Amino acid sequence: MAKILIVDDEAPLRTMLSHMLIADNHEVIVAEDGGQGIKLYHEGMPDLVISDLVMPNKNGIDMILELKRDYPDLRLIAISGGGGITGAFDYLPTAKLVGADSILKKPFGIQELRDALKKSLGN
Amino acid sequence: MTTAISSSLDSSSLDSSTHDSSASISRLRDTVKGMRILVIDDDDLLCQEIKIRLEHHGHVVDTALSGEQGIIQVELFRPQIVLVDWLMSGMNGLDVCRALRKSQLGEFLYIMVFTQHDNEDLLVDAFDAGADDYIPKPISPRVLLARIRAGERLLRLQGEVDRERRDGHRYLDIVEVMILGIDIQGNITLVNRKGCDVLGYDEREIMGCNWFEAIIPQEYRGPIQAIFDYAVDGNMEGLGFFESQLVTRKGERRLIAWHSSVIYDQGKISGLLFAGDDITNGRQADLERKKLAKDLQQAQKMQAVGNLTGGIAHNFNNILASIIGYTELAQELIADSGEKNLMFFLESVHSAGTEAKSLVETLMSFSRGAEGELKAPLLLPVLNDVERMLKPVLTSAVQLNISMRSQIPTVLANPEHIHQMVTNLCINARDAMNNSGKIDISLQHHAHLSGTCGSCHEAFEGEYVELRVADQGSGIPNAVLGSMFDPFFSTKDVGKGTGLGLPMVHGTMHGYQGHILVDSEMNKGTAFRLLFPVTSVAQVEELAIDSLG
């Protein structure tokens, strides 16, 4: 159906998302942080990115900004649990500002994810 | 006799001008080197002769021709030395001595009696009457001058002692420390200016008063009396430094740090001397400093707890995402298999996960403060909604009153948050009242309010709308006041409270830039006062632009 890049530093979450997407017949690529996400995007040219925001090395917001610069038509769903060790700031609204199609607050259900996919991919 | 009197007055025209005031007399004393001497003798000629001789030696002399006149003349002329003839009609010399010693001026007078007696007993009578010396008649001018010199020397010594005493008093008055002396009965024998200032009494009013009764508050009298008795018995250990309150004339309490010591008179304890420092203001400043430090510590604690909570919540959400996600995947996989038990198990995992999710959301509202859409709702309709929602939760014995105490300006808030906060507070109120009593919910506008927040412990000031939830419950113990806004702190039985109600209120209010005041009195009740900052028009517009973007 679609080629989707998952960017998240939490391995269980990457696996779970992969399962969800594969169950719906999507092709999946996974990256562990923003830097790897950019590299895999260049290489794999996915139809859509599902990305966490609070990550080590390169965070999700920076990654979105860089990708948006090179690929203005980028399709992206931002996911985040909100908060973080450094404070309680919620990055989801920021992700929306810098160009995410949808934002999903962790934990979310399959149906929410499917709705977001539908919105981004248009089918 | 008449002429003699007038001549005596004439001859002292210089003196008559000095009778007007004691100030001019003391000026004269400073300018004239000799003594001021009054001669009292009914022998006018003798008076004049003595006057001439003494004036020749630089003294200032006045005369009086009778004892009675002499006493008046002492008052007017203020002599230092009085020479008085023993044998006079009317008051004799010894009568004059006695009268002068009794008068106020008598203390500093040097009195000599002219006498023809050389009988020892009679001479002793003269000294007993108050004479300082006697001059045998007929008067030898040399002896007279020599004895005046002796008197002069004595008076100078007395003057020095007196001056030192006055200087001492002046020094006591200069220092900014209370000095208080008491005798062994506890009567005040000395008080300096600072002591009078602090106490609010005149020196004359307070001197001689019993200090326990006059200035020591009832509850301090016992301990201080004990210290006092111990010291008067000769035990020095009890003395030294102590603090006590005292009551001023106006009834104010002042806190004084006392240094005390024993006064000895000829080897015996004659009283106590206290030097006191008024530390009332210093102590208050100290207490305020300590409170500020405590508030800061509390504020830091709340922030640290907030950060920690944020961190935990983040990780929890990741874990819950897996739990909920995998459960849903599994549910879809077996949806058509007819595995009823498995379906039920998965449904249970899913609903537990969802419950955990809402718990984490509440926790996040503590650390992040309010989120979600802020509106400028009218508060009263929101509260009426709350009342409808709360009815099933409250027993019929709990009465709920909602009132508006003034016109209420708009505030920025999320009506759902208000629902949740008021519900939390009402449930706490219900529990504090053991399910029966009255809960008052009221709204009030404060054009200006300042204070220290009961949860974040920061000082605030400004315009606020107050939403007050007051109960008639058991009140909040002091020990609980400091912790009740901490997440998971609960005084309720395990399973009855989550310990997240008040943290949610704290987080939400501070997300609104608001604050919370808590008034609580044991067995009387508690009022939580939620303070919403009043929305300015500019803020409302900003919010509109934000939501457009």
Side-chain angles (χ1 to χ4, degrees):
Chain A
M1 293 269 283
K3 188 172 179 181
I4 299 172
L5 168 63
I6 299 169
V7 189
D8 199 311
D9 59 324
E10 293 279 333
L13 216 98
R14 286 198 301 270
T15 318
M16 190 272 293
L17 274 173
S18 304
H19 281 297
M20 277 188 176
L21 295 171
I22 290 165
D24 283 356
N25 302 314
H26 296 295
E27 187 186 337
V28 173
I29 324 169
V30 292
E32 293 178 13
D33 62 40
Q36 209 180 14
I38 291 170
K39 187 166 163 274
L40 291 184
Y41 193 91
H42 288 313
E43 289 171 10
M45 289 309 288
D47 301 310
L48 175 89
V49 182
I50 298 176
S51 177
D52 188 20
L53 297 175
V54 183
M55 291 182 293
N57 305 325
K58 190 179 282 282
N59 69 49
I61 300 291
D62 288 347
M63 186 197 75
I64 298 173
L65 286 170
E66 275 194 49
L67 287 178
K68 261 290 183 202
R69 202 183 51 211
D70 296 341
Y71 310 97
D73 295 332
L74 176 76
R75 308 277 84 189
L76 186 137
I77 299 168
I79 56 174
S80 175
I85 300 299
T86 50
F89 191 78
D90 190 350
Y91 292 95
L92 282 174
T94 317
K96 181 102 180 167
L97 274 178
V98 297
D101 298 327
S102 312
I103 49 176
L104 288 180
K105 192 166 161 22
K106 291 180 194 174
F108 47 84
I110 292 183
Q111 203 46 53
E112 289 170 78
L113 181 67
R114 282 181 186 140
D115 291 346
L117 286 170
K118 206 169 179 180
K119 189 177 156 197
S120 288
L121 298 170
N123 52 9
Chain B
M1 285 297 248
T2 330
T3 43
I5 293 170
S6 68
S7 77
S8 123
L9 285 174
D10 288 346
S11 67
S12 57
S13 60
L14 169 71
D15 302 335
S16 65
S17 70
T18 68
H19 293 164
D20 303 337
S21 72
S22 57
S24 56
I25 289 167
S26 58
R27 260 204 308 281
L28 193 74
R29 274 185 187 163
D30 291 342
T31 51
V32 177
K33 268 188 158 185
M35 297 270 102
R36 296 175 61 79
I37 300 171
L38 176 68
V39 185
I40 308 171
D41 200 315
D42 53 3
D43 182 342
D44 189 19
L45 275 177
L46 185 69
C47 279
Q48 291 309 318
E49 195 191 331
I50 293 172
K51 180 176 158 74
I52 289 162
R53 276 190 185 274
L54 293 180
E55 281 179 347
H56 182 71
H57 282 87
H59 299 295
V60 180
V61 183
D62 200 357
T63 57
L65 293 171
S66 71
E68 291 83 351
Q69 200 204 344
I71 285 169
I72 295 166
Q73 215 51 8
V74 165
E75 199 70 42
L76 297 172
F77 177 61
R78 305 281 172 112
Q80 293 155 289
I81 295 177
V82 173
L83 306 175
V84 59
D85 192 20
W86 189 322
L87 287 173
M88 288 187 294
S89 54
M91 284 179 90
N92 68 24
L94 298 199
D95 295 335
V96 171
C97 281
R98 287 189 201 96
L100 287 179
R101 287 299 179 215
K102 262 189 219 160
S103 78
Q104 263 201 314
L105 292 170
E107 199 187 345
F108 294 108
L109 279 177
Y110 191 79
I111 307 175
M112 290 190 272
V113 181
F114 300 139
T115 179
Q116 284 160 334
H117 300 296
D118 50 8
N119 176 303
E120 264 183 29
D121 289 344
L122 288 173
L123 289 174
V124 168
D125 281 351
F127 284 107
D128 286 346
D132 292 304
D133 200 358
Y134 68 95
I135 294 167
K137 271 185 166 180
I139 298 165
S140 145
R142 283 182 63 207
V143 168
L144 175 65
L145 286 167
R147 292 195 143 159
I148 283 176
R149 279 199 299 278
E152 205 177 336
R153 200 169 60 240
L154 204 75
L155 284 172
R156 194 176 300 122
L157 283 173
Q158 193 182 19
E160 272 171 28
V161 170
D162 186 47
R163 200 165 47 247
E164 269 177 28
R165 199 178 69 174
R166 273 184 287 130
D167 281 350
H169 230 278
R170 211 173 67 233
Y171 300 150
L172 289 183
D173 283 349
I174 291 168
V175 295
E176 283 299 319
V177 169
M178 300 176 69
I179 308 272
L180 207 71
I182 57 175
D183 62 20
I184 51 172
Q185 275 83 43
N187 296 323
I188 296 173
T189 54
L190 172 78
V191 61
N192 70 342
R193 179 196 52 81
K194 181 71 179 178
C196 291
D197 285 354
V198 172
L199 292 169
Y201 288 98
D202 267 2
E203 184 179 348
R204 266 170 306 175
E205 292 172 309
I206 196 77
M207 285 290 274
C209 290
N210 186 288
W211 91 306
F212 293 105
E213 286 159 22
I215 62 171
I216 304 294
Q218 189 81 44
E219 68 268 27
Y220 282 86
R221 283 183 198 163
I224 292 178
Q225 179 82 54
I227 294 175
F228 176 81
D229 291 344
Y230 200 61
V232 167
D233 283 346
N235 301 295
M236 299 293 292
E237 306 93 277
L239 276 178
F241 180 80
F242 65 95
E243 285 178 11
S244 86
Q245 282 190 353
L246 55 74
V247 187
T248 68
R249 183 187 203 153
K250 283 185 191 158
E252 275 177 333
R253 295 283 182 112
R254 308 294 300 179
L255 184 63
I256 311 292
W258 298 105
H259 287 272
S260 48
S261 56
V262 173
I263 307 170
Y264 288 95
D265 189 10
Q266 297 177 356
K268 285 171 101 179
I269 292 170
S270 65
L272 299 178
L273 187 71
F274 299 102
D277 209 0
D278 184 353
I279 56 170
T280 317
N281 297 337
R283 184 55 55 89
Q284 255 158 15
D286 201 36
L287 285 176
E288 268 160 36
R289 247 195 328 275
K290 277 185 187 149
K291 186 177 175 302
L292 269 181
K294 203 179 150 214
D295 285 347
L296 183 66
Q297 207 181 3
Q298 275 283 352
Q300 284 168 341
K301 186 187 86 177
M302 290 306 268
Q303 205 181 0
V305 170
N307 286 344
L308 185 68
T309 316
I312 291 172
H314 176 83
N315 290 330
F316 251 78
N317 279 337
N318 275 326
I319 295 165
L320 286 172
S322 291
I323 294 173
I324 293 174
Y326 277 119
T327 309
E328 287 184 357
L329 272 175
Q331 283 174 315
E332 287 194 349
L333 266 181
I334 60 155
D336 304 322
S337 68
E339 289 268 11
K340 286 232 162 94
N341 278 347
L342 203 53
M343 292 283 278
F344 173 73
F345 297 157
L346 288 174
E347 186 51 44
S348 302
V349 175
H350 193 268
S351 73
T354 312
E355 205 177 307
K357 177 182 162 180
S358 76
L359 184 72
V360 173
E361 264 163 23
T362 316
L363 200 58
M364 290 292 278
S365 75
F366 166 81
S367 65
R368 190 170 42 236
E371 62 171 15
E373 199 184 348
L374 295 188
K375 300 170 188 159
L378 291 172
L379 290 175
L380 199 60
V382 174
L383 291 181
N384 287 331
D385 266 2
V386 172
E387 188 182 15
R388 222 178 25 250
M389 277 170 41
L390 274 174
K391 275 274 140 79
V393 185
L394 303 175
T395 58
S396 57
V398 175
Q399 220 187 315
L400 196 64
N401 281 341
I402 297 181
S403 63
M404 202 158 74
R405 295 192 180 174
S406 57
Q407 283 286 339
I408 305 298
T410 50
V411 299
L412 275 187
N414 181 327
E416 280 169 33
H417 293 158
I418 295 177
H419 274 192
Q420 217 174 345
M421 289 193 292
V422 175
T423 305
N424 281 335
L425 292 176
C426 285
I427 288 171
N428 284 347
R430 177 200 67 186
D431 294 346
M433 299 192 301
N434 249 330
N435 284 316
S436 87
K438 205 170 73 177
I439 301 175
D440 270 315
I441 302 179
S442 60
L443 287 170
Q444 192 177 1
H445 173 225
H446 298 281
H448 184 262
L449 186 71
S450 62
T452 303
C453 177
S455 71
C456 75
H457 297 270
E458 276 172 29
F460 64 82
E461 113 170 87
E463 187 182 1
Y464 291 95
V465 165
E466 171 181 340
L467 197 176
R468 185 169 177 274
V469 178
D471 65 45
Q472 303 168 317
S474 50
I476 302 170
N478 270 337
V480 174
L481 280 173
S483 320
M484 64 184 178
F485 289 103
D486 297 356
F488 304 116
F489 178 88
S490 180
T491 56
K492 297 178 187 178
D493 291 342
V494 176
K496 271 192 152 179
T498 58
L500 287 176
L502 287 180
M504 180 264 165
V505 174
H506 159 88
T508 306
M509 287 313 294
H510 288 85
Y512 294 158
Q513 315 295 321
H515 288 287
I516 306 166
L517 291 176
V518 184
D519 299 336
S520 187
E521 206 176 324
M522 291 310 289
N523 301 320
K524 285 267 175 73
T526 301
F528 280 88
R529 304 164 61 191
L530 310 184
L531 304 173
F532 297 82
V534 169
T535 316
S536 68
V537 177
Q539 267 179 312
V540 178
E541 281 169 2
E542 247 172 59
L543 191 80
I545 290 164
D546 270 2
S547 56
L548 282 175

